[in-house]
């Protein structure tokens, strides 16, 4: 069957779908070649149907070379230009969809294969995509244009062609900064003004307003993250760093995190890591205190971006030209992380951190305060202490462990009586006694001390201790109660995103706990955690800044209720523990009238809240 013939049931002469059914390979190729060559010049109705068919094929078989060889890139490029230059044609029938599908097809076929990317560049796709990137149509076309350009930028042989279009980098930076506001004001904010073809593309015609809004958040996140991916390709080349390292842009990078809908994207932190890898980039980053604060928070976090932030901090501290600018904030953060063993592909990360801290004492004498120097020396002494303990008789280690346990029990007793400061001191004393190899016990001690700091309204100290507990825990960042305590501390400081991520991970760990006292609660999210998550999701909402700026109804955020007032059966008391030395030392819960009243539901509301405020946890094992 040739292009000039159609099946009896086909309403369109020369139908693409009929051609695809052609059994004779040579005829099929000849018909497809003619189809790609003639399609841009045709003004018949129904063109969107074959384009959507090509879109489906490109997504399903992005590595198939057949259409590439027959001129699909030239065809899609011509269709984009036609839509840009001929608005009458664009508004006719369903042609409004065609530039979107055309750019998406280019992006899909250049996603994996450098050979295809080279063919695309040779076919002239870049200028057409740049016009879409400029916003000549709408944000929907910008999304697929920046995606396609990002693929072309990843290959060594095609990047120079992009770089020759100097405006691409500037346009991508502007889009990364404004994308969320663009989508909010042009789609999300006014339901009755939404373009119908946008709604159809987002939901494929299978969703109402709520589905459209959810997909808009996802696409807005992609628009921002794909813009960052494109910028990141430029950031690997030092000649582009002066353009990228503008303070207006850098200060916004830590906030470009993609939201929960795009949690796997490296987002702004990935770009910051690329920038910090260059000496030329470290200076501008170090000169912006807000970025350093954000990097420290991300380095302490429990998500997939943690190692990226740690890399940035290590490079900034090792660079003599930036060390003195960041040392006061970076050193305390790295000290909290010094006992991490491995993190993803980063093996012996804690050792690397300690080595950099040790170098810092020698190379930054004039910049480092006596207090920071003392803290670094404590870390180094703890490493030496671990070596000594390896040569100690087991009996001596048992004695040290028992002594630490006694002191911890004293701390528990002080805590239950309301002497929070005294309890914190006892936990510190117990940490000094507890063998370094007793990691489970040390996790509990740090976590308990974090709770004390929370009650003493010392959120920074609580974050520090919770982070130390999470760094020591095996697996890293999976100690449920430390996650919860750090989530609360971040909440006190107004760090919604950090609090949200910890609270979500706490819920995951809580539901999977092997604690024998927890089975009845598995698959049931604690109400206090659910309240905190809801509160922080409002505060960290992707469109929150845009909504506040434009008077949207979601701009208020809300406080999510009193997250510290849950019932007593959500509270657990820390007793000490089974250590990793093999001792089965299990304490009984502190037994007093107050706790019994709480446990048996006879406590007043005031006493119940007090029970929460005195929360210490039972052993994990």
């Amino acid at each position: 069957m040739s292009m000039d013939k159609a099946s009896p049931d086909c309403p369109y002469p020369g139908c693409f779908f009929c051609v695809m059914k052609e059994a004779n390979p040579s005829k099929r190729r000849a018909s497809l070649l003619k189809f790609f060559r003639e399609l841009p010049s045709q003004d018949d109705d129904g063109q969107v149907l074959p384009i959507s068919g090509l879109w489906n094929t490109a997504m399903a078989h992005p590595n198939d070379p057949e259409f590439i060889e027959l001129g699909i890139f030239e065809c899609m490029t011509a269709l984009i230009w036609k839509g840009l230059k001929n608005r009458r044609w664009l508004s006719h029938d369903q042609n409004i969809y065609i530039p979107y599908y055309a750019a998406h097809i280019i992006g899909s076929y250049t996603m994996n294969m450098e050979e295809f990317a080279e063919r695309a560049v040779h076919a002239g796709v870049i200028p057409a995509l740049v016009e879409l990137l400029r916003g000549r149509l709408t944000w929907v076309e910008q999304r697929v244009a920046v995606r396609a350009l990002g693929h072309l930028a990843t290959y060594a042989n095609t990047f120079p062609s992009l770089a020759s279009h100097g405006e691409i980098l500037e346009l991508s930076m502007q889009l990364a900064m404004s994308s969320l506001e663009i989508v909010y004001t042009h789609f999300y904010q006014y339901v009755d003004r939404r373009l119908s073809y946008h709604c159809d593309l987002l939901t494929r015609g299978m969703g109402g307003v709520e589905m459209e809004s959810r997909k808009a958040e996802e696409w807005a996140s992609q628009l921002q993250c794909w813009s960052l991916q494109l910028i990141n390709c430029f950031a690997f080349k030092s000649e582009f760093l002066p353009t990228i390292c503008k303070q207006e842009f850098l200060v916004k990078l830590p906030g470009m995190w993609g939201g929960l809908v795009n949690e796997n994207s490296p987002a702004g932190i990935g770009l910051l890591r690329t920038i910090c890898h260059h000496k030329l980039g470290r200076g501008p980053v170090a000169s912006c205190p807000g970025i350093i604060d954000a990097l420290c928070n991300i380095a302490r976090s429990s998500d997939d971006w943690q190692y990226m932030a740690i890399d940035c901090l290590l490079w900034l501290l090792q660079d003599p030209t930036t060390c003195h600018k960041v040392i006061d904030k970076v050193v305390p953060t790295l000290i909290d992380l010094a006992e991490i063993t491995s993190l993803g592909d980063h093996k012996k990360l804690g050792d690397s951190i300690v080595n950099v801290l040790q170098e810092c004492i020698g190379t930054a004498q004039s910049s480092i305060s006596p207090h920071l120097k003392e803290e670094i020396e404590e870390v180094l002494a703890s490493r030496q202490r671990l070596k000594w303990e390896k040569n100690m008789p087991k009996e001596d280690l048992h004695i040290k462990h028992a002594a630490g346990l006694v002191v911890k029990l004293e701390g528990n007793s002080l805590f239950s009586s309301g002497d929070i400061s005294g309890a914190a001191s006892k936990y510190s004393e117990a940490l000094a006694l507890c063998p370094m190899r007793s990691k489970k016990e040390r996790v509990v001690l740090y976590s308990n001390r974090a709770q004390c700091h929370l009650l003493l309204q010392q959120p920074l100290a609580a974050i520090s201790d919770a982070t130390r507990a999470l760094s020591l825990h095996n697996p890293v960042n999976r100690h449920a109660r430390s996650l919860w305590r750090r989530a609360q501390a971040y909440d006190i400081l107004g760090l919604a995103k950090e609090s949200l991520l910890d609270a979500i991970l706490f819920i995951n760990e809580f539901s999977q706990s092997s604690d024998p006292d927890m089975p009845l609660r598995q698959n049931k999210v604690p109400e206090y955690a659910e309240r905190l998550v809801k509160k922080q999701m409002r505060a960290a909402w992707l469109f929150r800044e845009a909504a506040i700026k434009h008077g949207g109804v979601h701009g208020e955020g809300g406080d999510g209720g009193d997250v510290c007032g849950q019932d007593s059966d959500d509270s657990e008391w820390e007793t000490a523990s089974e250590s990793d030395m093999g001792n089965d030392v299990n304490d009984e819960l502190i037994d007093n009238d107050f706790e019994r009243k709480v446990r048996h539901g006879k406590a007043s509301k005031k006493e119940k809240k007090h029970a929460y405020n005195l929360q210490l946890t039972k052993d994990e094992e």
Side-chain angles (χ1 to χ4, degrees):
M1 185 184 301
S2 72
M3 287 295 293
D4 298 317
K5 298 179 182 178
S7 72
D9 300 328
C10 181
Y12 300 107
C15 173
F16 166 77
F17 300 100
C18 295
V19 173
M20 293 299 292
K21 296 177 182 177
E22 172 60 61
N24 186 310
S26 61
K27 287 185 178 181
R28 182 173 179 272
R29 284 180 61 85
S31 296
L32 284 170
L33 186 64
K34 183 180 179 183
F35 171 78
F36 287 136
R37 187 169 57 246
E38 296 181 352
L39 181 63
S41 62
Q42 295 176 356
D43 288 326
D44 302 329
D45 292 347
Q47 286 179 297
V48 76
L49 292 177
I51 301 298
S52 64
L54 288 168
W55 171 72
N56 281 314
T57 302
M59 288 197 301
H61 307 287
N63 302 334
D64 188 335
E66 181 182 24
F67 290 170
I68 311 301
E69 297 167 355
L70 296 175
I72 193 170
F73 288 136
E74 289 83 356
C75 179
M76 296 303 108
T77 301
L79 286 169
I80 293 173
W81 282 120
K82 186 172 182 178
L84 290 168
K85 294 177 179 179
N86 189 341
R87 295 305 174 103
R88 180 196 58 78
W89 172 83
L90 188 66
S91 61
H92 179 66
D93 193 40
Q94 299 185 62
N95 293 341
I96 190 69
Y97 293 90
I98 290 178
Y100 170 87
Y101 282 130
H104 203 302
I105 288 166
I106 293 170
S108 294
Y109 277 121
T110 55
M111 182 168 50
N112 303 322
M113 308 291 286
E114 184 169 13
E115 175 189 350
F116 293 179
E118 292 175 18
R119 294 284 293 263
V121 170
H122 183 71
V125 302
I126 294 177
L129 293 172
V130 169
E131 289 303 306
L132 296 181
L133 184 65
R134 289 181 189 279
R136 286 278 302 277
L137 294 181
T138 72
W139 66 272
V140 163
E141 289 81 14
Q142 281 180 305
R143 170 180 169 269
V144 286
V146 76
R147 168 181 176 259
L149 290 168
H151 295 330
L152 296 174
T154 59
Y155 303 112
N157 289 338
T158 53
F159 176 79
S161 297
L162 266 81
S164 67
H165 293 262
E167 69 270 38
I168 289 180
L169 178 56
E170 292 278 5
L171 289 170
S172 301
M173 291 170 61
Q174 190 58 43
L175 189 57
M177 290 189 288
S178 61
S179 54
L180 303 184
E181 185 174 354
I182 289 171
V183 178
Y184 180 79
T185 56
H186 288 77
F187 185 87
Y188 195 99
Q189 186 175 19
Y190 300 110
V191 174
D192 56 339
R193 299 184 195 174
R194 295 177 179 179
L195 297 177
S196 60
Y197 90 98
H198 284 183
C199 297
D200 289 342
L201 285 173
L202 263 69
T203 65
R204 309 298 169 205
M206 298 177 61
V209 171
E210 184 179 350
M211 174 66 76
E212 292 168 7
S213 298
R214 286 205 302 269
K215 292 297 290 184
E217 291 189 47
E218 181 180 341
W219 281 29
S221 173
Q222 291 171 353
L223 181 57
Q224 185 176 71
C225 289
W226 288 342
S227 299
L228 292 170
Q229 165 63 23
L230 178 52
I231 300 165
N232 195 55
C233 294
F234 282 88
F236 281 106
K237 313 290 185 180
S238 58
E239 62 265 32
F240 298 105
L241 286 176
T243 300
I244 296 171
C245 291
K246 295 175 180 176
Q247 287 295 301
E248 177 193 9
F249 180 66
L250 287 182
V251 296
K252 293 187 176 182
L253 273 182
M256 298 183 191
W257 66 295
L260 295 177
V261 295
N262 212 7
E263 69 274 12
N264 294 323
S265 167
I269 181 59
L271 179 53
L272 276 171
R273 182 178 184 270
T274 303
I275 292 170
C276 287
H277 192 262
H278 290 275
K279 186 175 184 65
L280 189 62
R282 290 194 285 271
V285 170
S287 299
C288 188
I291 296 180
I292 304 305
D293 289 336
L295 284 172
C296 289
N297 287 333
I298 298 170
R300 288 189 175 102
S301 69
S302 48
D303 59 37
D304 294 335
W305 304 326
Q306 183 179 14
Y307 81 90
M308 297 184 185
I310 293 173
D311 282 347
C312 291
L313 298 183
L314 291 173
W315 292 332
L316 289 166
L317 200 59
Q318 288 176 292
D319 189 332
T321 63
T322 57
C323 178
H324 65 284
K325 295 181 181 179
V326 304
I327 194 168
D328 289 342
K329 293 180 178 179
V330 170
V331 166
T333 300
L334 292 177
I335 286 174
D336 290 344
L337 300 165
E339 293 196 79
I340 284 182
T341 50
S342 297
L343 189 65
D345 294 332
H346 284 51
K347 305 303 180 185
K348 297 184 178 179
L349 180 58
D351 291 343
S352 299
I353 291 172
V354 172
N355 291 338
V356 171
L357 291 173
Q358 189 169 19
E359 292 171 10
C360 191
I361 291 182
T363 59
Q365 286 284 357
S366 59
S367 303
I368 193 166
S369 67
H371 173 68
L372 282 182
K373 184 178 180 182
E374 183 180 340
E375 287 197 338
I376 293 175
E377 288 174 345
E378 284 183 12
V379 172
L380 299 178
S382 69
R383 287 302 177 101
Q384 189 60 45
R385 179 177 152 194
L386 181 60
K387 292 179 182 178
W388 290 338
E389 287 178 359
K390 287 181 179 179
N391 298 321
M392 286 180 67
K394 288 186 177 181
E395 294 78 7
D396 291 348
L397 283 175
H398 282 293
I399 291 171
K400 284 173 63 69
H401 176 265
L405 183 59
V406 169
V407 175
K408 183 171 75 169
L409 291 175
E410 293 173 359
N412 288 354
S413 180
L414 290 172
F415 192 97
S416 64
S417 66
D419 184 357
I420 309 303
S421 296
S425 297
K426 286 294 181 182
Y427 296 137
S428 297
E429 186 180 339
L431 280 165
L433 289 168
C434 184
M436 298 296 295
R437 62 183 289 187
S438 300
K439 291 187 176 182
K440 292 179 183 178
E441 189 71 24
R442 295 180 70 81
V443 166
V444 169
L445 287 167
Y446 277 125
S447 190
N448 281 3
R449 198 169 69 177
Q451 178 68 5
C452 292
H453 290 312
L454 270 177
L455 297 176
L456 294 170
Q457 292 298 301
Q458 298 168 346
L460 291 175
I463 290 169
S464 175
D465 274 345
T467 301
R468 294 184 183 201
L470 290 162
S471 298
L472 269 173
H473 191 260
N474 185 21
V476 172
N477 295 326
R478 293 297 184 268
H479 185 248
R481 292 175 177 94
S482 294
L483 286 166
W484 175 244
R485 285 159 184 169
R486 196 169 65 179
Q488 292 174 287
Y490 280 136
D491 180 45
I492 292 170
L493 295 174
L495 297 172
K497 178 187 71 176
E498 290 80 1
S499 178
L500 174 62
L501 293 174
D502 276 353
I504 290 173
L505 197 51
F506 161 74
I507 290 172
N508 291 341
E509 294 302 312
F510 183 93
S511 64
Q512 298 169 19
S513 174
S514 59
D515 190 322
D517 287 348
M518 287 188 176
L520 293 177
R521 288 191 270 169
Q522 288 193 5
N523 301 318
K524 177 177 172 57
V525 177
E527 289 184 9
Y528 57 90
E530 185 177 1
R531 284 198 297 272
L532 183 60
V533 167
K534 287 180 178 178
K535 171 187 176 180
Q536 306 302 22
M537 286 189 73
R538 284 192 290 269
W541 182 46
L542 196 66
F543 292 133
R544 185 173 186 272
E545 186 176 335
I548 293 173
K549 181 177 179 179
H550 295 277
V553 295
H554 295 286
E556 294 299 322
D559 64 5
D562 178 11
V563 299
C564 292
Q566 72 269 25
D567 290 340
S568 62
D569 62 351
D570 290 324
S571 295
E572 303 244 354
W573 291 72
E574 167 62 6
T575 62
S577 67
E578 172 187 359
S579 79
D580 55 349
M581 292 177 62
N583 285 20
D584 293 326
V585 185
N586 294 306
D587 297 337
E588 296 180 358
L589 294 175
I590 301 169
D591 187 11
N592 56 40
D593 291 338
F594 169 72
E595 193 216 347
R596 278 198 297 272
K597 287 171 68 179
V598 171
R599 291 285 177 180
H600 291 92
K602 298 178 180 179
S604 67
K605 184 175 181 180
K606 182 177 179 180
E607 287 174 321
K608 286 184 177 182
K609 188 163 186 175
H610 183 59
Y612 168 75
N613 289 335
L614 294 182
Q615 179 189 14
L616 284 172
T617 64
K618 284 175 48 181
D619 290 325
E620 297 297 314
E621 300 293 337

